[in-house]
């Protein structure tokens, strides 16, 4: 699939800093020291509804990871998927009486527009589940042939016992795993499974549902976790730097994905850091397509809201926080972008060299975007209160805010 156009990332004077980031697997901060090419996989959308502020907040977090890396003069190899066939998508298509392929295409196109408007850097490889099927089938065959997977009435399940490191991404206890498995697409109560937590790798063709040739697996469609693993291993290989998504993907999705990959390769770990963004809520509940309590990026854009203000709304919360979307969040961001624009539109101002270092330090410290915004606020206040004589300062602030925060002033 094609991704979306990249906005240019201005180069900044001085040196970027290595990122220290919270890793879910170890429960502490790790300093990432990628080679000249940093590798990141971020789980993409299931395209059955438009991009809401929760999605946007999560993609914003991983966009910042890349901007920190780019500032250290590394290249970034970024891969993202689109879950363009899965139960929720098929269910929505049936509910609305529309073709599931058309629904997925339409919503993916809208996502691309939203990401472009928000200046999120595009992945180099943007891969749909459907187009990944030819690569998924041999992996499931290999797992089955090595005894890491088994058949149940035509469906193929992964055996969590096949990975000695199973459980080391989430560190959740069995009871919680079982609960979350039932809630998030698993089937712990299906009779005949070796372990109730075992996730499906390949679902045999069902009446009225799309299916593909699965070679020795028979006709069917892939499970959710193996989709991301096949794409990640194909384009990044094992031991990549960051596996990213929201906290609702910690279990089962990222736990199972890591176990699939580790059982396939015998290597550990799949990713050096598992990074998770907090959940955005509306009216006290997690924003979710299934609940329908949503604020869409595209709807705000249609209302004429400046994408820079939408982006600043996201940046005003720490990526690990769970937070509530309100009109006030957006109003504050609109006001802030106005203040910043006025400050950088003057011909000179207070020196901004220290500000660039403050933004760098804030982001390198577990992506502390609110601290970065506070630093820019202080510079803008000084500009409005006393001004300055540095003619390069307004331009430098614009470039730094663009390069490091993705906000075009
Ligand atoms: N296609 C799968 C991943 S392979 C999927 O989870 N799709 S999704 O459309 O449901 O979510 C896309 C991303 O947005 C995931 O990383 C998810 O964790 C994140 N996300 C979903 N809802 C929220 C929310 N309310 N707040 C923050 N992030 C969210
Ligand atoms: Zn995924």
């Amino acid at each position: 699939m094609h991704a979306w156009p990249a906005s240019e990332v201005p180069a900044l004077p001085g040196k970027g800093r290595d990122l220290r980031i919270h890793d879910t697997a170890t429960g502490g901060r790790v300093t990432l020291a990628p080679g000249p090419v940093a590798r990141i996989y971020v789980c993409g959308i299931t395209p059955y509804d438009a991009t809401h502020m929760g999605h946007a907040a999560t993609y914003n977090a991983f966009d910042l990871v890349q901007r920190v890396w780019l500032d250290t003069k590394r290249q970034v190899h970024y891969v993202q998927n689109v879950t363009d066939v899965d139960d929720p998508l098929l269910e929505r298509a049936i509910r609305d009486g529309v073709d599931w392929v058309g629904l997925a295409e339409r919503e993916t196109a809208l996502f691309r527009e939203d990401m472009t408007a928000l200046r999120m850097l595009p992945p180099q490889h943007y891969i749909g589940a459907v187009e990944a099927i030819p690569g998924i089938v041999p992996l499931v065959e290999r797992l089955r042939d090595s005894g890491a997977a088994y058949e149940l009435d035509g469906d193929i399940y992964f055996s969590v016992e096949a990975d000695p490191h199973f459980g080391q991404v989430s560190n959740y206890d069995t009871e919680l795993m079982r609960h979350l498995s039932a809630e998030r697409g698993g089937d712990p109560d299906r009779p005949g499974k070796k372990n109730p937590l075992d996730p499906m790798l390949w679902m045999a063709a069902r009446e009225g549902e799309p299916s593909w040739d699965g070679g020795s697996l028979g006709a069917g469609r892939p499970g959710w976790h193996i989709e991301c693993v096949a794409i990640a291993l194909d384009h990044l290989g094992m031991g990549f730097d960051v596996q990213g998504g929201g906290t609702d993907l910690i279990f089962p999705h990222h736990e199972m994905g890591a176990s699939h990959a580790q059982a396939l390769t015998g290597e550990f770990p799949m990713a050096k850091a598992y990074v998770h963004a907090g959940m955005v809520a509306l009216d006290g509940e997690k924003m979710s397509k299934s609940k329908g309590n949503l604020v869409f990026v595209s709807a705000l854009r249609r209302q004429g809201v400046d994408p820079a203000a939408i982006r600043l709304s996201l940046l005003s919360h720490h990526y690990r926080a769970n937070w509530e979307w309100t009109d006030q969040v957006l109003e504050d961001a609109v006001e802030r972008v106005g203040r910043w624009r006025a400050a950088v539109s003057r011909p000179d101002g207070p020196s901004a060299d220290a500000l660039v270092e403050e933004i760098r330090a804030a982001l390198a410290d577990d992506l502390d975007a609110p601290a970065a915004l506070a630093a820019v606020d202080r510079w803008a206040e000084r500009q409005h209160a006393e001004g300055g004589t540095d003619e390069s300062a307004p331009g430098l602030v614009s470039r730094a805010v663009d390069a490091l925060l993705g906000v075009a002033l």
Side-chain angles (χ1 to χ4, degrees):
M1 276 192 188
H2 66 285
W4 53 92
S7 54
E8 215 180 299
V9 181
L12 298 174
K15 227 170 143 276
R17 299 191 184 206
D18 279 340
L19 178 61
R20 263 172 82 70
I21 198 154
H22 183 87
D23 166 35
T24 302
T26 50
R29 286 190 190 186
V30 292
T31 301
L32 294 172
V37 182
R39 294 174 295 164
I40 177 166
Y41 185 92
V42 180
C43 281
I45 53 162
T46 306
Y48 68 87
D49 214 337
T51 319
H52 58 62
M53 297 314 300
H55 300 133
T58 290
Y59 295 112
N60 178 56
F62 298 101
D63 190 72
L64 295 181
V65 169
Q66 295 176 64
R67 289 173 184 277
V68 172
W69 281 337
L70 291 172
D71 188 39
T72 62
K73 308 283 183 273
R74 290 181 172 97
Q75 283 178 25
V76 177
H77 193 165
Y78 173 25
V79 180
Q80 188 181 129
N81 69 306
V82 187
T83 309
D84 58 0
V85 63
D86 201 6
D87 294 339
L89 173 71
L90 299 174
E91 284 159 17
R92 176 64 62 95
I94 289 169
R95 189 198 80 175
D96 294 353
V98 296
D99 170 46
W100 65 273
V101 176
L103 174 63
E105 279 173 0
R106 219 170 34 249
E107 297 302 347
T108 305
L110 191 56
F111 177 72
R112 289 189 188 99
E113 280 178 28
D114 290 337
M115 292 295 105
T116 309
L118 294 177
R119 295 172 84 79
M120 304 282 182
L121 297 168
Q124 280 77 42
H125 297 278
Y126 191 47
I127 313 283
V130 171
E131 61 182 324
I133 290 174
I136 293 172
V137 170
L139 297 189
V140 177
E141 288 175 327
R142 254 168 60 198
L143 286 168
R144 181 199 55 196
D145 296 346
S146 70
Y150 60 93
E151 191 195 319
L152 181 60
D153 298 333
D155 300 325
I156 311 284
Y157 280 90
F158 177 73
S159 183
V160 294
E161 270 105 46
D163 173 29
H165 297 285
F166 173 73
Q168 293 182 14
V169 172
S170 67
N171 300 296
Y172 293 161
D173 63 34
T174 310
E175 198 187 330
L176 180 57
M177 285 184 180
R178 199 178 160 130
H179 170 78
L180 292 174
S181 162
E183 206 169 75
R184 298 175 180 164
D187 55 2
D189 298 321
R190 179 170 177 178
K193 290 171 67 173
K194 288 189 181 161
N195 182 316
L197 298 173
D198 291 345
M200 215 184 264
L201 290 165
W202 186 257
M203 183 196 269
R206 307 284 201 265
E207 187 66 40
E209 286 190 1
S211 62
W212 288 265
D213 177 15
S216 72
L217 307 172
R221 63 181 162 97
W224 175 27
H225 321 305
I226 193 70
E227 164 198 343
C228 284
V229 169
I231 296 169
L233 292 184
D234 190 19
H235 294 283
L236 297 174
M238 281 300 272
F240 55 91
D241 296 289
V242 167
Q243 156 82 84
T247 49
D248 58 343
L249 297 189
I250 296 173
F251 193 90
H253 189 50
H254 289 170
E255 187 76 75
M256 296 301 177
S259 277
H260 292 351
Q262 286 151 194
L264 273 164
T265 60
E267 291 171 39
F268 174 84
M270 179 186 78
K272 295 194 180 108
Y274 295 85
V275 178
H276 293 102
M279 289 292 113
V280 180
L282 182 70
D283 302 329
E285 273 203 274
K286 174 194 159 187
M287 228 182 246
S288 78
K289 289 178 282 207
S290 47
K291 289 199 198 92
N293 56 336
L294 305 167
V295 175
F296 294 122
V297 174
S298 46
L300 292 178
R301 290 198 289 117
R302 266 198 308 276
Q303 289 162 28
V305 177
D306 178 356
I310 303 176
R311 181 107 192 206
L312 273 181
S313 305
L314 308 173
L315 290 162
S316 67
H317 299 84
H318 193 275
Y319 83 97
R320 288 177 61 204
N322 297 318
W323 55 279
E324 172 93 18
W325 176 264
T326 60
D327 291 345
Q328 190 63 47
V329 169
L330 183 59
E331 280 165 31
D332 290 349
V334 168
E335 196 259 332
R336 181 176 250 148
V337 84
R339 245 186 304 129
W340 288 10
R341 282 202 178 121
V344 299
S345 64
R346 306 218 325 223
D348 48 25
S351 163
D353 297 345
L355 169 61
V356 173
E357 292 316 310
E358 282 178 277
I359 301 173
R360 279 180 167 145
L363 292 181
D365 178 19
D366 201 21
L367 303 177
D368 192 346
L373 299 200
V376 182
D377 284 343
R378 285 194 296 275
W379 182 85
E381 262 162 45
R382 275 215 311 284
Q383 170 72 309
H384 289 306
E386 44 198 86
T389 56
D390 184 341
E391 289 173 8
S392 68
L396 179 57
V397 173
S398 285
R399 282 197 303 283
V401 165
D402 187 358
L404 296 171
L405 301 170
V407 173
L409 292 178

